[in-house]
Each structure stands twice: as structure tokens, then as C-alpha cells.
Amino acid sequence: MTVQTPIDLYPSRCAPQPERRERLDPVVHKSWSQGAPLSAEQTEAFDRDGFLVLHDVFSAEEVALLKDEASRLLGDPAGLEDETLIREPDGDEVRSIFAIHAQSALMRRLASDTRLAGVASFLLDDEVYVHQSRLNYKPGFRGKEFYWHSDFETWHVEDGMPRMRAVSISVLLAENNANNGPLMLMPGSHRVYLSCVGETPENHYKISLRKQDYGVPDEASLAELAEEHGIVAALGKPGSLIMFDCNVMHGSNGNITPYPRSNAFFVFNAVSNRVVAPFGPKTPRPLFVATREIEPLAPVAGSLVQSIG
Ligand SMILES: O=C(O)CCC(=O)C(=O)O
């Protein structure tokens, strides 16, 4: 079956100057009603700010299980698909492990949990699948920054995600505090689509997963956005969740504290928004970065400990 490439509603990396465009898609795709997995206030805050932090979502036992699994994955690189292991730009320390939902039964169960997949499905008003997953370690002393970006810009140009109907959820496995390079977001910036300059080279992902050079917003536009929206750091203890819209401007500083900042990160895309041919380079990124095999998740309720333990 040939999938028709839809019109490019969010062009980027094809004009000599950056452009600001209006978002054409809703942020919360479903009207709130009793029984929704978020309260009316939480739903409103997500719609307004483009992100939401939920504290104490996972119990201490669940966090311990997830931390053990994150350490196990980190401690056994030979057991992982080699290319899923991404190292820091100037060193050998592991920055990210991709496709964790495909390489760990616990991480697959976590992705399917109602607290993640159920909430994503509500916000996007559709069945969801995992577009991308990874553990982001940000090791102590040497963990490098993630420069400012809109995820959607990359997913659209490099992966062929047609519309803004995706949400990311980070499960905090270590305390994310003001000092160890927490996620920073510009609240409200998700309403503006900022196109970037510079045609994407083929196989860009090989470099960009360590350090991104294309799909990077220009400084003048970032300064304007920061002036308009401000910058907020999303802080929380292990077991908290940060959920953020696919187009919110975000990034994080390096970590020179001794304390690693590890998070399990899942991107949920609406099944109706499945990826098509990339809008930029001809060759899509590999499946471990952006899946093209759509497996809708059936949300699972209950403790991770009982499911796996
Ligand atoms: O983990 C972080 O601090 C940022 C991660 C991020 O921006 C991303 O994965 O898109």
C-alpha cells in the first residue's frame, strides 16, 4: 500500500530565513469530562503551558524497580542493540539508550501503563503508539546539555510526522533539581511553530543524537520566545512525571554536579497521525529512533511491581 504524503503544513529547513507560523492543531484533542485521567485544572494547564509536572505518580517500590532496570541496561551494553547506545559528544559515557520499550519488558510495561499511555490517549483523543523511547542519563560531572528545540520540528522534517498530535512523557528516575540540568521549557511556546534554517544532511541522526546542529532554532527567535513566555525548570523527585507537548520549546543545561539525572522518556503519537515519508531528507531515520511499525498500546492499570515482580 502506498501512503500518500500529505501537504507539508509545517515546512522547515527549506527557507533562508527562520519563520514563525501559527500552530494549526489543537493541544488537547479531547474535551475534558468526568472520569478523564487528568483533572480539569491539569488539562487546562497542559493546554495553556504545553507541559505538566505530576508528582508522586509512581510508588517507591515501582521507582526502585525502574531504577534497577535502568542500571541493568546501562551495566550490560552487550545485551543491547549496539546502535541504540548513544554516548556523550566528547566522551564515552552513555548519554541515552534508545528503543527501551523494545529492549526491556519492564520499560514496555511502563510505556503501556494507564498513567502514561492512558493519559496520552486522552490528550490526543486516539489510540497511541510509541514513536520513540529512551533512557536519558545525563551523568554527573560530564552530562552535556540538550540545546533548545521543538521535538515536532525534527519529527516532522526527519521522520514524517504530519501533524502536532504527539506528547512526550518523562518518568523521573532520579531527582531533577535546579542544579543537575533539569528540563527547561518555555510555557506557551507550543502555540508557535518556529521553522529552522539549513537543509538536513542525509544520516544526520548519527551526529544529532549526540549533539544537534540542524533543526536548531536561531538565537534571535529563541530570545523573542523567551521574552514572551519566560523559562521554567520542571523539577521533581523520582516517581514524578513530566508530560510535554510535541511543539513546546525546551532544552536542558549540562550537569556538573556529582548527581546523575536519569529519566525514562517516551513519545506517544496518535495512531491517526502515523508517520509518512519524511518532509526533509529522503531517507527516514532508523526504526530505533523513530518507529514506523505501528503497534497501538492497550493501556494497562495497576502497579508495575505486581505486573512484573
Ligand atoms: O532530557 C533532557 O533534558 C532533554 C531531552 C530532550 O530534549 C529530548 O529528548 O528531546
CSV table of all heavy atoms in Angstrom, one decimal, residues 132 134 136 138 145-147 149 151 155 168 170 176 181-184 244 250-253 261 263 265, ligand 1:
chain,number,residue,atom,x,y,z
A,132,GLN,N,9.0,7.0,19.8
A,132,GLN,CA,10.4,6.9,20.3
A,132,GLN,C,10.5,6.7,21.8
A,132,GLN,O,9.6,7.2,22.5
A,132,GLN,CB,11.1,8.2,19.9
A,132,GLN,CG,12.6,8.3,20.3
A,132,GLN,CD,13.1,9.7,20.1
A,132,GLN,OE1,13.3,10.4,21.1
A,132,GLN,NE2,13.5,10.0,18.9
A,134,ARG,N,13.5,6.2,25.2
A,134,ARG,CA,14.9,6.2,25.5
A,134,ARG,C,15.1,6.5,27.0
A,134,ARG,O,14.2,7.1,27.7
A,134,ARG,CB,15.7,7.2,24.8
A,134,ARG,CG,15.2,8.7,24.9
A,134,ARG,CD,16.2,9.6,24.3
A,134,ARG,NE,15.6,10.4,23.3
A,134,ARG,CZ,16.2,11.6,23.0
A,134,ARG,NH1,17.2,12.1,23.6
A,134,ARG,NH2,15.6,12.4,22.0
A,136,ASN,N,17.4,8.8,29.2
A,136,ASN,CA,18.4,9.9,29.1
A,136,ASN,C,19.1,9.9,30.5
A,136,ASN,O,18.5,10.1,31.5
A,136,ASN,CB,17.6,11.2,28.9
A,136,ASN,CG,17.3,11.4,27.4
A,136,ASN,OD1,17.8,10.8,26.6
A,136,ASN,ND2,16.3,12.3,27.2
A,138,LYS,N,22.1,11.7,31.5
A,138,LYS,CA,22.8,12.9,31.9
A,138,LYS,C,23.7,12.6,33.1
A,138,LYS,O,23.4,12.9,34.3
A,138,LYS,CB,21.8,14.0,32.2
A,138,LYS,CG,22.6,15.3,32.2
A,138,LYS,CD,21.7,16.5,32.3
A,138,LYS,CE,21.2,16.9,30.9
A,138,LYS,NZ,20.5,18.2,30.9
A,145,GLU,N,24.5,19.3,27.7
A,145,GLU,CA,23.2,19.9,27.5
A,145,GLU,C,22.5,19.3,26.4
A,145,GLU,O,23.0,18.6,25.5
A,145,GLU,CB,23.4,21.4,27.3
A,145,GLU,CG,23.8,21.8,25.9
A,145,GLU,CD,25.4,21.7,25.7
A,145,GLU,OE1,26.1,21.2,26.6
A,145,GLU,OE2,25.8,22.0,24.6
A,146,PHE,N,21.2,19.5,26.4
A,146,PHE,CA,20.3,19.3,25.2
A,146,PHE,C,19.9,20.8,24.8
A,146,PHE,O,19.2,21.4,25.5
A,146,PHE,CB,19.1,18.5,25.5
A,146,PHE,CG,19.3,17.1,25.7
A,146,PHE,CD1,19.7,16.6,27.0
A,146,PHE,CD2,19.1,16.1,24.7
A,146,PHE,CE1,19.9,15.2,27.2
A,146,PHE,CE2,19.3,14.8,24.9
A,146,PHE,CZ,19.7,14.3,26.2
A,147,TYR,N,20.4,21.2,23.6
A,147,TYR,CA,20.1,22.6,23.2
A,147,TYR,C,18.6,22.8,22.9
A,147,TYR,O,17.9,21.8,22.7
A,147,TYR,CB,20.9,22.9,21.9
A,147,TYR,CG,21.0,24.4,21.7
A,147,TYR,CD1,21.6,25.3,22.5
A,147,TYR,CD2,20.2,25.0,20.6
A,147,TYR,CE1,21.6,26.6,22.3
A,147,TYR,CE2,20.2,26.3,20.4
A,147,TYR,CZ,20.9,27.2,21.3
A,147,TYR,OH,20.9,28.5,21.1
A,149,HIS,N,15.1,23.2,21.5
A,149,HIS,CA,14.4,22.7,20.2
A,149,HIS,C,12.9,22.4,20.5
A,149,HIS,O,12.5,22.3,21.6
A,149,HIS,CB,15.1,21.4,19.8
A,149,HIS,CG,15.0,20.3,20.8
A,149,HIS,ND1,15.8,20.2,21.9
A,149,HIS,CD2,14.2,19.2,20.8
A,149,HIS,CE1,15.5,19.1,22.6
A,149,HIS,NE2,14.6,18.5,21.9
A,151,ASP,N,10.6,19.4,19.6
A,151,ASP,CA,10.7,18.0,19.1
A,151,ASP,C,9.9,17.8,17.7
A,151,ASP,O,10.4,17.1,16.8
A,151,ASP,CB,10.1,17.0,20.1
A,151,ASP,CG,11.0,16.9,21.3
A,151,ASP,OD1,12.2,16.9,21.2
A,151,ASP,OD2,10.4,16.7,22.4
A,155,TRP,N,10.7,15.7,14.3
A,155,TRP,CA,9.9,14.5,13.9
A,155,TRP,C,9.2,14.7,12.6
A,155,TRP,O,9.0,13.8,11.9
A,155,TRP,CB,8.9,14.2,15.0
A,155,TRP,CG,9.5,13.9,16.3
A,155,TRP,CD1,10.8,13.5,16.6
A,155,TRP,CD2,9.0,14.1,17.6
A,155,TRP,NE1,11.1,13.4,17.9
A,155,TRP,CE2,9.9,13.7,18.6
A,155,TRP,CE3,7.7,14.4,18.1
A,155,TRP,CZ2,9.7,13.7,20.0
A,155,TRP,CZ3,7.4,14.4,19.5
A,155,TRP,CH2,8.4,14.1,20.4
A,168,SER,N,5.1,13.9,24.8
A,168,SER,CA,6.2,13.2,25.4
A,168,SER,C,6.0,13.1,26.9
A,168,SER,O,5.4,14.0,27.5
A,168,SER,CB,7.5,14.0,25.2
A,168,SER,OG,7.8,14.1,23.9
A,170,SER,N,8.1,12.0,30.4
A,170,SER,CA,9.4,11.6,31.0
A,170,SER,C,9.1,11.1,32.4
A,170,SER,O,8.4,11.8,33.2
A,170,SER,CB,10.3,12.9,31.2
A,170,SER,OG,11.4,12.8,30.5
A,176,ASN,N,15.3,15.5,39.8
A,176,ASN,CA,15.6,16.5,38.8
A,176,ASN,C,15.5,17.8,39.6
A,176,ASN,O,14.4,18.3,39.9
A,176,ASN,CB,14.7,16.6,37.6
A,176,ASN,CG,14.9,15.4,36.6
A,176,ASN,OD1,14.7,15.6,35.4
A,176,ASN,ND2,15.2,14.2,37.1
A,181,GLY,N,20.8,20.0,35.8
A,181,GLY,CA,20.4,20.0,34.4
A,181,GLY,C,19.0,19.6,34.1
A,181,GLY,O,18.7,18.7,33.2
A,182,PRO,N,18.0,20.1,34.9
A,182,PRO,CA,16.6,19.7,34.6
A,182,PRO,C,16.1,20.2,33.3
A,182,PRO,O,16.7,21.1,32.7
A,182,PRO,CB,15.8,20.4,35.8
A,182,PRO,CG,16.6,21.6,36.0
A,182,PRO,CD,18.1,21.2,35.8
A,183,LEU,N,15.0,19.6,32.9
A,183,LEU,CA,14.3,20.1,31.6
A,183,LEU,C,13.9,21.5,31.9
A,183,LEU,O,13.3,21.8,32.9
A,183,LEU,CB,13.2,19.2,31.3
A,183,LEU,CG,12.5,19.4,30.0
A,183,LEU,CD1,13.4,18.9,28.9
A,183,LEU,CD2,11.2,18.6,29.9
A,184,MET,N,14.1,22.4,30.9
A,184,MET,CA,13.6,23.8,30.9
A,184,MET,C,12.6,23.9,29.8
A,184,MET,O,12.9,23.4,28.7
A,184,MET,CB,14.7,24.8,30.8
A,184,MET,CG,15.8,24.7,31.9
A,184,MET,SD,17.0,26.0,31.7
A,184,MET,CE,17.8,25.6,30.2
A,244,PHE,N,5.0,16.7,28.1
A,244,PHE,CA,5.1,17.9,27.4
A,244,PHE,C,4.7,17.7,25.9
A,244,PHE,O,4.9,16.7,25.3
A,244,PHE,CB,6.4,18.6,27.5
A,244,PHE,CG,7.6,17.8,27.3
A,244,PHE,CD1,8.4,18.0,26.1
A,244,PHE,CD2,8.1,16.9,28.2
A,244,PHE,CE1,9.5,17.2,25.9
A,244,PHE,CE2,9.2,16.1,28.0
A,244,PHE,CZ,10.0,16.3,26.8
A,250,HIS,N,12.0,23.5,24.4
A,250,HIS,CA,12.6,23.0,25.6
A,250,HIS,C,14.1,22.7,25.3
A,250,HIS,O,14.5,22.6,24.2
A,250,HIS,CB,11.8,21.8,26.1
A,250,HIS,CG,11.9,20.6,25.2
A,250,HIS,ND1,11.2,20.5,24.0
A,250,HIS,CD2,12.7,19.5,25.2
A,250,HIS,CE1,11.5,19.4,23.4
A,250,HIS,NE2,12.4,18.7,24.1
A,251,GLY,N,14.8,22.5,26.4
A,251,GLY,CA,16.2,22.1,26.4
A,251,GLY,C,16.6,21.9,27.8
A,251,GLY,O,15.8,22.0,28.8
A,252,SER,N,17.9,21.6,28.0
A,252,SER,CA,18.4,21.5,29.4
A,252,SER,C,19.9,21.7,29.4
A,252,SER,O,20.6,21.5,28.4
A,252,SER,CB,18.1,20.1,29.9
A,252,SER,OG,18.7,19.1,29.2
A,253,ASN,N,20.4,22.2,30.5
A,253,ASN,CA,21.8,22.5,30.7
A,253,ASN,C,22.6,21.3,31.0
A,253,ASN,O,22.0,20.2,31.4
A,253,ASN,CB,21.9,23.5,31.9
A,253,ASN,CG,21.5,24.9,31.5
A,253,ASN,OD1,21.8,25.4,30.4
A,253,ASN,ND2,20.9,25.6,32.4
A,261,ARG,N,21.2,12.6,36.5
A,261,ARG,CA,19.8,12.9,36.3
A,261,ARG,C,19.2,12.0,35.3
A,261,ARG,O,19.2,12.3,34.1
A,261,ARG,CB,19.7,14.4,35.9
A,261,ARG,CG,18.4,15.0,35.9
A,261,ARG,CD,18.1,15.8,34.6
A,261,ARG,NE,18.1,14.9,33.4
A,261,ARG,CZ,17.7,15.2,32.2
A,261,ARG,NH1,17.3,16.5,32.0
A,261,ARG,NH2,17.7,14.4,31.2
A,263,ASN,N,16.2,9.9,33.4
A,263,ASN,CA,14.8,9.9,33.1
A,263,ASN,C,14.5,8.8,32.0
A,263,ASN,O,15.2,8.7,31.1
A,263,ASN,CB,14.3,11.2,32.6
A,263,ASN,CG,14.5,12.4,33.6
A,263,ASN,OD1,14.5,12.1,34.8
A,263,ASN,ND2,14.6,13.6,33.1
A,265,PHE,N,12.1,8.2,29.0
A,265,PHE,CA,11.4,9.2,28.1
A,265,PHE,C,10.6,8.4,27.0
A,265,PHE,O,11.2,7.6,26.3
A,265,PHE,CB,12.4,10.1,27.6
A,265,PHE,CG,12.0,11.1,26.6
A,265,PHE,CD1,11.5,12.3,26.9
A,265,PHE,CD2,12.2,10.8,25.2
A,265,PHE,CE1,11.1,13.2,26.0
A,265,PHE,CE2,11.9,11.8,24.3
A,265,PHE,CZ,11.3,13.0,24.7
B,1,LIG,O1,16.4,15.1,28.9
B,1,LIG,C1,16.5,16.3,28.6
B,1,LIG,O2,17.0,17.1,29.4
B,1,LIG,C2,16.1,16.8,27.3
B,1,LIG,C3,15.7,15.8,26.4
B,1,LIG,C4,15.1,16.3,25.2
B,1,LIG,O3,15.0,17.5,24.9
B,1,LIG,C5,14.6,15.4,24.2
B,1,LIG,O4,14.9,14.2,24.4
B,1,LIG,O5,14.0,15.9,23.2
